[in-house]
C-alpha cells in the first residue's frame, strides 16, 4: 500500500499552569513518527492518558502540534491555517467516542448533515444536497431516512447517534478518518453493528482509518496494523498478526497477555503491569516505561534502561519496537498464537465481527 500521510517527529506539549507560578509541561505526544498507508486500518492502542486522542486531533489539525510535520500530498498540515486548512478539512474527518461531541443538540439530523455540504459543496443544487443527505442516512442504516432526518439527537439511541456521526463524517467523501474509541460508549449489543458498518464503509469507499482504542483485542480483530503507545511515544508498530504473535516490547507483551484466550494459556509468561502510569508532566528519564517494566526487573535493572531512551528499531519486516532488549517469544507462546486456533476459538468477551 502507498503512504497516505507521513508524520514526522510530531509533538504536542501543553502548559499545565499551577496556582501563582509557572507550570510543568505535559508531554501528551512526544516525538512520534509514522506513515499511514492508503486504505489501511491502523489501530492506535494504549492506556488512558497515553496521548491517543491528542495525536488524532493533532494529525487533523484540530489541536495544534507543538512541533513536527504532517505531510499529506506534499503539504505540511501542521503549518496550514485559514482557507487552506478549511479546504483540507474536507479530506479528513474525526468520529468521536461520544457522538454528542459532534452533534449539535439544537440541530435536526437533516441540518447536521446538510451543514458540511453548505460549506464545502456549493456546486450542488438544493435537491442534490437533499438527495445526498438522504442517501447517506440510508448508507449508515438509518431508515426511513425521511423520518430520521426530521429528528433531533436526543430522539435517537446512542447507536443511532453514532450512525449519524458516521454519516456526517463520510458525506464529504474524505480520504482519512480518525475514529476515537467510536464504540466504547455504546451498549455492548450495538458495538458489533457499528463496527461492521465502519468496516463495510471502509471497504466500499476505500477509506483509511486511524482507529483509536484502549482495547488490544478489538484492534486485533479489525486492523491491518497496530501501533502501541505509552506515555506519548510509540513503542511498537507492525502488522496486526506480527504485533500480537510476536510482541517485542515488554509493554505490548503485557497487553497481549491479558487478551482472554491468549493470556489464559501463557501461564508463567503472563506479565501483569505493575503500578500506575506516571503523569505525562513527569515522564521518567531513560526508557519511560522502566518504572513498570517487568523485563527491566528480570534483567536486573540495567543502567541503560534508566539512562537512555530506546529508539524504534526494526525487529522484522515492517515491525519496529523501542526496547534495548529483544523479547523473543518462547515456543509455548508461539503455539498459543497459532492463527488457526485463534479463528476457531475467538475471544469470548468480544467477537464483534463474528470471526
Ligand atoms: N488541553 C489539555 N491541557 C493539558 N493537558 C491535556 C490537555 N488534553 C490532554 N491533556 C493531557 O495529555 C495527556 C494525553 O491525553 P489524551 O486525552 O490525548 O490521552 P488518551 O490516550 O486519549 O486517553 P483516554 O484513553 O483517557 O482518552 C494526558 O496526560 C492528559 O491529561
Ligand atoms: S528498554 Fe529496558 S525498561 Fe525499556 S522496555 Fe526495554 S527492558 Fe523495559
Ligand atoms: Mg482519548
Amino acid at each position: 500500500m502507498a503512504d497516505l500521510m507521513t508524520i514526522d517527529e510530531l509533538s504536542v506539549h501543553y502548559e499545565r499552569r499551577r496556582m501563582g507560578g509557572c507550570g510543568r509541561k505535559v508531554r501528551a505526544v512526544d516525538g512520534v513518527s509514522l506513515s499511514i498507508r492508503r486504505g489501511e486500518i491502523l489501530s492506535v492502542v494504549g492506556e488512558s492518558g497515553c496521548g491517543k486522542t491528542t495525536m488524532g486531533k493533532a494529525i487533523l489539525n484540530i489541536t495544534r502540534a507543538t512541533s513536527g510535520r504532517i505531510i499529506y500530498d506534499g503539504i505540511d498540515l501542521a503549518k496550514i491555517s485559514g482557507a487552506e486548512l478549511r479546504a483540507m478539512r474536507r479530506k479528513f474527518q474525526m468520529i468521536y467516542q461520544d457522538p454528542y461531541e459532534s452533534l449539535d443538540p439544537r440541530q435536526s439530523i437533516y441540518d447536521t448533515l446538510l451543514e458540511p455540504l453548505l460549506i464545502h459543496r456549493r456546486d450542488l443544487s438544493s435537491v442534490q444536497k437533499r438527495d445526498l443527505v438522504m442517501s447517506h442516512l440510508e448508507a449508515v442504516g438509518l431508515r426511513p431516512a425521511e423520518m430520521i432526518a426530521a429528528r433531533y439527537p436526543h430522539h435517537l439511541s446512542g447507536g443511532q447517534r453514532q450512525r449519524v456521526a458516521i454519516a456526517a463524517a463520510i458525506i464529504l467523501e474524505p480520504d482519512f478518518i480518525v475514529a476515537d474509541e467510536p464504540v466504547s460508549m455504546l451498549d455492548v449489543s450495538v458495538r458489533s453493528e457499528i463496527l461492521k458498518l465502519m468496516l463495510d464503509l471502509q471497504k466500499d469507499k476505500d477509506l483509511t482509518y486511524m482507529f483509536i482504542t484502549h482495547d488490544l483485542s478489538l484492534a486485533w480483530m479489525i486492523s491491518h496494523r497496530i501501533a502501541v503507545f505509552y506515555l506519548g511515544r510509540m513503542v511498537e508498530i507492525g502488522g496486526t498478526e506480527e504485533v500480537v504473535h510476536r510482541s517485542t516490547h515488554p509493554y505490548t507483551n503485557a497487553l497481549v497477555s491479558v487478551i482472554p484466550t491468549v493470556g489464559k494459556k501463557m501461564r508463567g509468561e503472563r506479565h501483569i503491569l505493575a503500578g500506575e502510569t506516571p503523569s505525562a508532566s513527569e515522564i521518567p528519564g531513560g526508557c519511560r516505561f522502566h518504572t513498570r517494566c517487568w523485563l527491566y526487573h528480570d534483567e536486573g535493572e540495567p543502567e541503560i534502561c534508566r539512562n537512555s531512551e530506546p529508539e524504534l528499531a526494526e525487529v522484522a519486516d515492517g515491525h519496529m519496537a523501542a526496547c534495548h532488549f529483544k523479547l523473543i517469544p518462547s515456543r509455548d507462546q508461539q503455539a498459543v498464537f497459532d492463527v488457526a486456533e485463534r479463528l476457531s476459538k475467538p475471544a469470548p468477551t468480544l467477537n464483534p465481527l463474528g470471526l
Side-chain angles (χ1 to χ4, degrees):
M1 291 181 201
D3 288 345
L4 174 87
M5 191 184 276
T6 305
I7 294 154
D8 181 28
E9 283 297 315
L10 182 70
S11 291
V12 182
H13 294 173
Y14 297 111
E15 205 69 51
R16 182 169 280 166
R17 299 241 167 256
R18 295 227 165 118
M19 297 272 280
C22 57
R24 276 179 172 277
K25 265 204 173 71
V26 178
R27 286 145 67 191
V29 177
D30 205 20
V32 171
S33 300
L34 82 149
S35 291
I36 298 166
R37 299 174 186 166
R38 192 174 284 279
E40 78 169 337
I41 302 177
L42 170 69
S43 283
V44 170
V45 176
E47 291 166 303
S48 183
C50 71
K52 305 181 294 294
T53 298
T54 304
M55 190 184 67
K57 286 184 171 173
I59 291 174
L60 303 192
N61 209 328
I62 296 168
T63 295
R64 274 275 170 193
T66 309
S67 60
R69 303 187 317 148
I70 303 153
I71 306 296
Y72 170 85
D73 240 356
I75 297 170
D76 186 352
L77 300 182
K79 301 276 185 298
I80 60 175
S81 56
E84 209 179 1
L85 178 58
R86 272 195 299 281
M88 289 311 258
R89 283 256 156 88
R90 197 179 144 180
K91 302 269 183 197
F92 310 113
Q93 296 291 325
M94 186 137 181
I95 297 172
Y96 294 89
Q97 180 175 26
D98 180 358
Y100 265 126
E101 270 196 62
S102 44
L103 303 182
D104 183 341
R106 294 157 305 176
Q107 261 187 346
S108 70
I109 303 306
Y110 183 80
D111 287 341
T112 299
L113 294 192
L114 184 64
E115 194 173 78
L117 298 176
L118 291 173
I119 298 168
H120 294 281
R121 296 300 310 271
R122 292 190 192 156
D123 54 313
L124 298 179
S125 69
S126 305
V127 174
Q128 286 171 319
K129 287 188 198 106
R130 185 185 165 78
D131 287 349
L132 264 187
V133 170
M134 294 306 168
S135 65
H136 278 81
L137 284 173
E138 291 195 356
V140 298
L142 291 171
R143 299 187 193 94
E146 298 277 348
M147 195 196 275
I148 299 281
R151 297 198 171 149
Y152 285 79
H154 68 271
H155 294 134
L156 306 181
S157 68
Q160 287 176 319
R161 280 198 289 269
Q162 199 57 303
R163 285 176 193 270
V164 174
I166 292 169
I170 60 169
I171 202 162
L172 292 173
E173 298 181 4
D175 278 343
F176 177 53
I177 292 182
V178 174
D180 188 2
E181 307 259 16
V183 297
S184 61
M185 281 183 69
L186 303 178
D187 284 349
V188 175
S189 57
V190 296
R191 281 183 195 175
S192 57
E193 288 171 19
I194 299 294
L195 281 171
K196 176 105 178 36
L197 170 67
M198 289 185 66
L199 297 188
D200 287 347
L201 290 171
Q202 189 262 338
K203 274 201 202 119
D204 291 352
K205 298 184 179 295
D206 200 21
L207 290 164
T208 304
Y209 284 158
M210 175 175 278
F211 192 97
I212 294 173
T213 176
H214 59 272
D215 185 343
L216 181 58
S217 60
L218 175 54
W220 184 20
M221 300 273 179
I222 65 165
S223 23
H224 299 107
R225 289 195 302 155
I226 295 178
V228 180
F229 273 64
Y230 185 77
L231 269 185
R233 292 279 275 194
M234 188 167 70
V235 296
E236 184 156 4
I237 184 166
T240 297
E241 298 302 325
E242 185 66 26
V243 167
V244 176
H245 292 194
R246 279 175 288 280
S247 53
T248 301
H249 194 282
Y251 177 61
T252 313
N253 188 265
L255 296 182
V256 168
S257 77
V258 295
I259 296 178
T261 46
V262 176
K264 242 189 279 166
K265 294 178 187 173
M266 285 172 79
R267 291 185 216 102
E269 303 214 24
R270 196 166 179 185
H271 299 292
I272 306 296
L273 285 173
E276 295 284 307
T277 316
S279 157
S281 60
E282 282 165 289
I283 293 178
C287 174
R288 60 191 64 202
F289 183 54
H290 83 264
T291 55
R292 300 174 76 202
C293 180
W294 57 268
L295 185 57
Y296 169 68
H297 292 292
D298 283 5
E299 292 285 330
E301 307 194 349
E303 208 179 307
I304 189 173
C305 294
R306 292 189 304 278
N307 293 342
S308 148
E309 176 130 55
E311 293 294 328
L312 278 172
E314 192 155 64
V315 289
D317 194 21
H319 181 185
M320 300 175 94
C323 172
H324 294 304
F325 298 87
K326 239 188 197 155
L327 182 63
I328 302 172
S330 73
R331 225 181 299 147
D332 263 9
Q333 195 178 329
Q334 298 230 15
V336 167
F337 291 141
D338 184 77
V339 185
E341 181 175 7
R342 171 170 81 77
L343 293 177
S344 64
K345 292 181 191 163
T349 52
L350 186 68
N351 182 23
L353 308 179
L355 286 173

